Amino acid sequence: MSALFSSFRLRSQTFRNRIFVSPMCQYSSIDGFPTAWHLVHLGSRAVGGAGLVMMEATAVSPEGRISPGDQGLWSDEHGEALKPIVHFIRSQGAAAGVQIAHAGRKASTDAPWRGGGPLSQAEGGWSVIAPSPVPFATNHPRPEACREADLRRIVTDFTHAARRAHEAGFDVLELHMAHGYLLHEFLSPLANRRDDRYGGRLENRLRLPLEVTDAVREVWPETKPLFVRLSATDWVDGGWDVEQSLVLARELKNRGVDLIDCSSGGMVPDAKIPAGPGYQTPFATRVRTDVGIAVGAVGLINEPLQAEQIVRTNLADCVFLGRELLRDPYWPLHAARALHSDEKWPVQYERARP
């Protein structure tokens, strides 16, 4: 029996298999509201057999968007608009997840297909905030350092977004602490130069991410799993690294987080990342082994046998696929055939089953 296609349970949620859709920004929302694109995009991955379909980084506030086209969850109306998408995902046998985020100093940028550069206010951009007034890159604006009132509002915004995610029917919630966005910025010495209780030594740099985690776990139902996406390393000397990630992972486990989604990078534009097949999987394995928490592996996992080996040999509990599922929404169904697993096809497609 395929390990990749075995069921996986966290709290009261049982996933039909270990293939999870990574949250991937589509830059196609209007004022933070989903469009037909999101229903088709996410719905196709549910039809295609994934165990969990995770919605893209969804901003907890308008200024927390990466781009003007980002999905949002800063009002009850946004939550209502997501209900049909959640309903369809679940109707196809997949769990529905959403990642909530604040882009910090990487906010107010254009869509990638228009260059992805920072937007001026004349172009529809806005002022950005960060732990310290350190820009992401030379062509990015100098962010405003978060004040105490900003920090309290950020915690509140994440809390309200979590409540709305529950009310919209999502089964899984993920906190975005990776890829150089706001919570990761507080973790990394490369972006966090503060000299107050939110900066300096590791205990202080963990403070805001852990305050967000505590507040969210209070409102996110006890029966539902909570994930965290973490950049295990900045790939830069003097930045965030694996050893610090292990300290954070232990704290997250103690606060009711159920799974660490192990990614890396994103803090600076010029990091030297040795990308290759499965290059981030060792981070997941290290967290799983040292901390004793469920983990997901992500990063250039493209082949069914590769994914099977990761799960079967306990390198990770599940795999998150990104670009491979953009290329082929039905990758899980094809992988099931390759691994001789009797995965259920949608009844509408049964007549095409090999």
Side-chain angles (χ1 to χ4, degrees):
M1 179 178 175
S2 166
L4 186 64
F5 285 93
S6 64
S7 63
F8 180 38
R9 186 176 180 87
L10 290 171
R11 296 189 186 252
S12 65
Q13 179 63 46
T14 300
F15 305 95
R16 61 183 172 185
N17 60 48
R18 313 295 184 106
I19 303 168
F20 292 179
V21 180
S22 277
M24 293 177 283
C25 291
Q26 299 297 294
Y27 307 98
S28 299
S29 299
I30 299 174
D31 295 327
F33 288 95
T35 65
W37 176 266
H38 295 88
L39 175 60
V40 174
H41 164 67
L42 296 167
S44 295
R45 276 79 198 161
V47 170
L52 169 67
V53 177
M54 184 81 75
M55 193 165 205
E56 65 194 78
T58 298
V60 299
S61 62
E63 63 274 14
R65 291 173 294 170
I66 303 167
S67 80
D70 279 26
Q71 179 60 37
L73 201 46
W74 61 79
S75 77
D76 291 347
E77 290 74 23
H78 288 91
E80 285 293 321
L82 290 170
K83 286 183 177 180
I85 297 174
V86 174
H87 175 76
F88 183 81
I89 291 170
R90 299 183 72 194
S91 76
Q92 301 306 303
V98 61
Q99 182 190 74
I100 55 175
H102 191 299
R105 67 180 187 173
K106 295 176 77 173
S108 187
T109 60
D110 211 344
W113 52 83
R114 290 191 292 267
L119 295 171
S120 67
Q121 294 204 3
E123 296 170 312
W126 55 91
S127 298
V128 299
I129 60 172
S132 305
V134 181
F136 170 65
T138 55
N139 65 326
H140 279 242
R142 179 185 170 96
E144 297 179 15
C146 289
R147 298 164 296 179
E148 188 75 27
D150 297 318
L151 301 177
R152 302 281 67 76
R153 185 177 66 253
I154 289 162
V155 173
T156 299
D157 288 342
F158 270 93
T159 306
H160 289 333
R163 173 184 57 78
R164 294 181 185 114
H166 167 59
E167 292 171 352
F170 284 101
D171 303 297
V172 171
L173 184 72
E174 180 169 89
L175 302 177
H176 201 353
M177 298 187 187
H179 300 163
Y181 299 120
L182 186 66
L183 296 182
H184 183 193
E185 290 165 18
F186 271 88
L187 295 172
S188 175
L190 301 179
N192 187 343
R193 311 282 178 81
R194 300 173 74 95
D195 58 7
D196 62 1
R197 65 195 189 100
Y198 289 92
R201 64 181 188 271
L202 179 58
E203 176 187 356
N204 287 349
R205 287 183 279 115
L206 298 182
R207 193 180 306 278
L208 182 67
L210 293 179
E211 286 179 352
V212 167
T213 303
D214 287 340
V216 165
R217 189 72 265 189
E218 278 289 316
V219 301
W220 186 245
E222 184 69 21
T223 56
K224 292 186 176 185
L226 178 63
F227 293 5
V228 167
R229 173 157 274 195
L230 184 64
S231 276
T233 177
D234 290 338
W235 298 106
V236 176
D237 289 342
W240 183 255
D241 59 24
V242 175
E243 296 304 321
Q244 295 173 90
S245 293
L246 294 173
V247 175
L248 174 58
R250 291 186 187 97
E251 292 290 341
L252 294 171
K253 178 185 177 183
N254 292 338
R255 286 166 162 79
V257 169
D258 301 286
L259 182 142
I260 306 295
D261 176 3
C262 297
S263 188
S264 70
M267 180 53 62
V268 294
D270 55 354
K272 306 300 182 186
I273 301 176
Y279 71 106
Q280 295 177 146
T281 300
F283 300 137
T285 306
R286 180 79 187 277
V287 172
R288 189 179 194 271
T289 302
D290 286 21
V291 180
I293 189 172
V295 297
V298 61
L300 293 179
I301 300 169
N302 300 326
E303 299 297 331
L305 285 174
Q306 177 193 15
E308 173 73 13
Q309 185 264 345
I310 288 170
V311 177
R312 180 169 292 279
T313 60
N314 296 316
L315 300 181
D317 297 278
C318 59
V319 293
F320 284 84
L321 302 187
R323 289 174 176 84
E324 192 61 31
L325 280 171
L326 292 183
R327 288 186 282 268
D328 180 6
Y330 306 106
W331 189 94
L333 297 180
H334 300 149
R337 186 183 183 205
L339 297 171
H340 308 290
S341 177
D342 188 26
E343 188 71 355
K344 183 179 179 182
W345 278 51
V347 293
Q348 297 91 336
Y349 289 180
E350 276 285 350
R351 62 182 179 271
R353 184 172 183 164

